[in-house]
Amino acid sequence: MILYDYCRSSAAYRVRIALNLKGLAYEQVPVNLLKAEQRGEENLARNPQGLVPSLDDNGEMLNQSLTMCEYLDEAYPETLQLLPSDVLERARVRSLAQLIACDIHPVNNLRILKYLVSEFGVSDEQKTAWYQHWVQEGFAALERALADSDQTGKFCHGDDPTLADVLLVPQVFNANRFKVDMSVYPTIARIADACNELKAFADAHPDLQPGD
């Protein structure tokens, strides 16, 4: 299994965590976004959007991080499951994960931030304010969803990590990079800390990956 990723890509970070949680061996091939390697022909052949990550599993190429995570769950059911077996619990985990993947991450990823600078001339301060605004909007809703539910345990759903935690940790990492005040999201911060105590999450940290 080969993961084409970039160390600070939130989407790639998710897939690294998922692979680690499931105990699957994989090779990493860095694709440097800061050097625009994602737009090169080699990466476009893997991923027509010119994005990362891409996952090659025995010659089958997969794109989109959530798809990869769910594929790993279905293709390797004998390992830890990222989604609960109960249909309603599974829906809750997906809802929490998609709040991050669909409502926070897309407006804050690198290509959006670069576009704000190149096309609209926003300053670093304005770019940071943009990032913080959308994280704060999403985290406020996520905090309520987690704090108000008796299904929240040590992790987002119960006492074992799920797909929701896989999505949460990279987003908290980025929120810290952009100096979002996490003290107003105590449940999110508590869960992220619990996740990062696990080797599967710690080993996926951007600072420990190949590339720069």
Side-chain angles (χ1 to χ4, degrees):
M1 201 176 296
I2 303 172
L3 178 65
Y4 298 88
D5 74 349
Y6 176 62
C7 56
R8 285 183 294 278
S9 161
S10 297
Y13 194 171
R14 300 166 188 164
V15 180
R16 293 196 300 267
I17 294 170
L19 286 162
N20 292 347
L21 281 172
K22 294 187 73 67
L24 299 170
Y26 61 100
E27 174 189 350
Q28 287 175 263
V29 177
V31 179
N32 192 316
L33 303 188
L34 298 183
K35 296 178 180 178
E37 291 177 356
Q38 74 275 19
R39 303 302 304 174
E41 286 303 318
E42 188 175 354
N43 193 62
L44 286 171
R46 290 188 293 264
N47 188 320
Q49 286 183 281
L51 301 174
V52 295
S54 295
L55 181 67
D56 182 344
D57 187 12
N58 197 31
E60 296 293 334
M61 192 67 68
L62 298 158
N63 294 310
Q64 295 295 336
S65 61
L66 284 184
T67 297
M68 294 177 207
C69 292
E70 294 208 28
Y71 164 80
L72 292 172
D73 239 18
E74 295 169 0
Y76 300 95
E78 67 280 3
T79 58
L80 180 142
Q81 290 293 285
L82 302 176
L83 288 164
S85 57
D86 179 82
V87 65
L88 286 176
E89 292 185 27
R90 194 159 63 245
R92 178 177 185 263
V93 169
R94 282 184 170 133
S95 177
L96 296 171
Q98 289 177 18
L99 190 159
I100 296 168
C102 302
D103 296 332
I104 299 176
H105 177 245
V107 293
N108 276 344
N109 69 14
L110 180 63
R111 60 179 178 162
I112 299 300
L113 298 179
K114 289 177 69 175
Y115 188 81
L116 289 173
V117 172
S118 65
E119 297 300 318
F120 298 104
V122 304
S123 65
D124 285 343
E125 292 78 12
Q126 290 171 317
K127 181 178 72 172
T128 297
W130 167 282
Y131 189 99
Q132 291 174 340
H133 170 78
W134 294 113
V135 170
Q136 288 161 348
E137 283 233 336
F139 273 9
L142 182 60
E143 177 70 21
R144 287 194 299 271
L146 292 170
D148 293 348
S149 174
D150 59 7
Q151 292 184 296
T152 301
K154 182 179 180 180
F155 300 103
C156 288
H157 189 83
D159 294 327
D160 294 304
T162 66
L163 182 65
D165 304 286
V166 169
L167 272 288
L168 179 69
V169 165
Q171 193 60 66
V172 171
F173 170 80
N174 281 338
N176 286 325
R177 283 183 63 212
F178 280 84
K179 297 179 170 49
V180 173
D181 179 8
M182 292 301 299
S183 68
V184 296
Y185 313 113
T187 312
I188 292 174
R190 173 186 65 76
I191 292 170
D193 286 344
C195 289
N196 285 318
E197 291 177 1
L198 300 179
K199 180 175 172 57
F201 287 85
D203 286 352
H205 192 281
D207 290 350
L208 302 180
Q209 309 314 309
D212 52 18

